Amino acid sequence: MNNDQNLPSGNLSAKLQAIAAAVQDAAQSCQGDVTALLALLRQLEKLHKEIRDGIFQDSLPDNRQRLYALLKDIESEGGWPYIERMRLQAFLVNLPVEIAQENPVIKNTNDSLDTETGAEW
């Protein structure tokens, strides 16, 4: 972990606020366009993965004291960052009733195996 290259917290905070504002603006400009909003969510997920698997992993602590400090920060600041995906059942709630009746909803969306065909989702 290389703390010497960290941005001053005020500068980082300003950059994070600017990023959040840009994402909010992008989301607002896509309002009503589900395809564009999905593309935005995919881009955010991709950025999260790139940062986590690249720069973040390269910056992980190299001794116990720094590891302890990182774990303490994770605990005190709200845990590990996670991008949650919408559950299929929550997604299907928005379907019109006629379509939902034509295509029955899968009862157990927690299973990763289709019980009728044996195929994985």
Side-chain angles (χ1 to χ4, degrees):
M1 187 159 122
N2 193 348
N3 289 331
D4 298 334
Q5 293 181 359
N6 286 346
L7 296 170
S9 63
N11 191 16
L12 177 59
S13 179
K15 285 187 176 203
L16 290 175
Q17 288 176 0
I19 291 168
V23 170
Q24 287 291 337
D25 288 345
Q28 288 297 322
S29 69
C30 296
Q31 190 170 359
D33 184 349
V34 70
T35 305
L37 288 166
L38 187 57
L40 176 63
L41 289 171
R42 287 178 176 149
Q43 183 63 47
L44 291 171
E45 182 181 28
K46 180 182 174 193
L47 288 169
H48 176 265
K49 184 180 184 314
E50 287 174 1
I51 293 168
R52 182 196 65 214
D53 294 347
I55 297 168
F56 181 76
Q57 279 193 354
D58 293 343
S59 300
L60 285 173
D62 55 2
N63 65 45
R64 285 185 294 191
Q65 290 81 15
R66 289 182 179 156
L67 176 59
Y68 176 77
L70 175 63
L71 294 174
K72 189 175 174 183
D73 181 74
I74 289 171
E75 184 178 347
S76 68
E77 296 298 322
W80 192 258
Y82 175 74
I83 297 179
E84 184 177 1
R85 292 187 176 161
M86 181 181 248
R87 295 228 176 253
L88 181 59
Q89 200 137 22
F91 181 76
L92 294 175
V93 166
N94 295 316
L95 285 177
V97 175
E98 320 68 76
I99 294 174
Q101 289 173 349
E102 291 174 16
N103 302 312
V105 176
I106 300 166
K107 291 184 181 178
N108 188 353
T109 59
N110 292 328
D111 293 338
S112 62
L113 193 63
D114 183 342
T115 55
E116 291 183 16
T117 65
E120 288 191 26
W121 292 98

